[in-house]
Structure formats: structure tokens, C-alpha cells
Amino acid sequence: MKLSLQEQLLKSGLVSSAQAKSVKSDKHKQNQQQRKNKIEVVDEAKELAQKAQAEKLERDRELNHLRQQQEEQKQLAAQIKQIIELNRLPTAGDGLAYNFTDNNKVKRIYVSAEMRDQIAEGRLAIVKLGQTYEVVSAETARKIQSRDAASVIVFNVDKKNAETTDDAYAQYQIPDDLIW
């Protein structure tokens, strides 16, 4: 026959019979008080479980939010890639070199003389697609810039629309087609 925990503790001598009786009477009083006043006894294990569940839900929300942000970034990257691939202009492999900087490094793309002038005037722009650079129209560059400004590498502002205020050297024209 199996003994209850209380009987096992009494038998092993870890608890005296007076202690066992006081615990039993306290438990009985607590049950009566609970029934009489309809007071719920605080259950620490239940509170800890609820707290752990709330923390888990918060962590899950944060992870879901992070996943959503990553998914949105992937979608933006796919949109930018599609826009560039659909609107890129062919470059001349044997044309003139147009030098520009990307992450403090000088890069070079070969374009025709007409395209080089249009890039300098702001009618064309250079955008980054992966590790390569492509030439697109100014309108396409604005679309890409609205999604990710870091993808647009060279986009000169149209000089006719730009205001010059109190520029002492305004009368001197600076050529944009310098080869360096």
C-alpha cells in the first residue's frame, strides 16, 4: 500500500506529527476561508506560467515584426531589380569612360558621348544592380530613389532648375564632362 507524502515524511522523521497537523489544519482553514469569502488564493505557479506565456507572445510579436520587415525589404529589392532591368539603357563597351564614386571608391562605366552628356545634365542616372551599374532615365531614377536612395549612385540635379544664391563664381561655367 502506498503512503501519502505526509505519511512518508512522518515515517522518515523529517517532519514531526505536530508540524503535519498544523499544515493540515492550515490547509483546511484556507479551503474554508476560500469557500466562505470566495477569495481566490494566489497560485504562484499559475502566475509564473501566465507571465511566461505573455513574454512568449511578446517575443513572437517581435519576431513576426522582424520577419515582416525583412519580407518588405526583399519585396523592395525585387521591385528595384525589376524596374532597373526593364528600363536600363544599353551602354557602349567601347565608348567614353564616365567615372563616379561608390562607397568612396572610384568606379567607371563606358557610355557613348551623348549618354555622358545626358548623365552630366541630369537626364540620365547611374544605378546599382547587385555588383553592376546600369544607366537609366531620370524618371526611372526617381522611382528607384523613392524606394531605396542607396541604389541611385549618380543622379545630377538639372542645373536649370537649381537655384544659385549669392554665388560669387556664378558667372563662371564649370564643365561637368571633365575626365579625371
Side-chain angles (χ1 to χ4, degrees):
M1 184 165 132
K2 293 187 178 181
L3 301 174
S4 68
L5 179 62
Q6 183 179 11
E7 292 170 348
Q8 289 175 12
L9 291 173
L10 279 172
K11 189 174 182 180
S12 66
L14 293 174
V15 178
S16 67
S17 61
Q19 287 176 330
K21 286 181 183 178
S22 72
V23 168
K24 190 173 183 180
S25 66
D26 287 345
K27 186 160 178 119
H28 182 68
K29 286 179 186 178
Q30 190 178 26
N31 286 338
Q32 283 182 337
Q33 186 78 15
Q34 187 177 5
R35 275 189 246 130
K36 184 177 179 182
N37 296 331
K38 295 183 180 178
I39 296 175
E40 188 174 325
V41 178
V42 178
D43 189 7
E44 291 179 14
K46 193 174 191 181
E47 282 183 359
L48 287 173
Q50 288 175 345
K51 185 178 177 182
Q53 178 138 6
E55 289 174 356
K56 183 179 182 295
L57 286 173
E58 182 64 30
R59 199 172 337 122
D60 288 346
R61 278 191 210 109
E62 289 174 7
L63 287 173
N64 284 339
H65 183 67
L66 184 63
R67 279 191 213 115
Q68 274 184 332
Q69 285 179 339
Q70 289 173 345
E71 187 64 32
E72 287 173 2
Q73 288 175 348
K74 285 180 185 177
Q75 288 176 356
L76 277 176
Q79 286 177 3
I80 291 169
K81 181 179 178 182
Q82 185 178 19
I83 290 171
I84 292 172
E85 287 177 348
L86 292 176
N87 296 304
R88 65 181 167 196
L89 300 173
T91 58
D94 59 343
L96 300 172
Y98 186 86
N99 296 309
F100 58 95
T101 59
D102 182 22
N103 290 332
N104 295 327
K105 293 182 181 176
V106 176
K107 302 291 182 173
R108 178 177 294 156
I109 189 169
Y110 292 94
V111 294
S112 66
E114 182 181 331
M115 286 178 87
R116 195 167 126 216
D117 292 339
Q118 289 178 350
I119 292 171
E121 293 171 1
R123 291 185 280 163
L124 295 179
I126 298 175
V127 294
K128 188 171 187 174
L129 176 63
Q131 297 297 321
T132 61
Y133 301 96
E134 299 293 337
V135 178
V136 295
S137 68
E139 206 170 298
T140 304
R142 285 187 194 94
K143 288 180 188 176
I144 294 169
Q145 204 169 28
S146 68
R147 288 170 174 78
D148 182 22
S151 295
V152 180
I153 306 300
V154 177
F155 187 35
N156 297 323
V157 179
D158 192 8
K159 298 217 184 289
K160 295 173 188 170
N161 295 336
E163 288 187 31
T164 57
T165 57
D166 298 331
D167 190 5
Y169 298 102
Q171 62 191 359
Y172 302 107
Q173 185 177 5
I174 301 170
D176 286 333
D177 58 350
L178 290 176
I179 299 174
W180 37 281

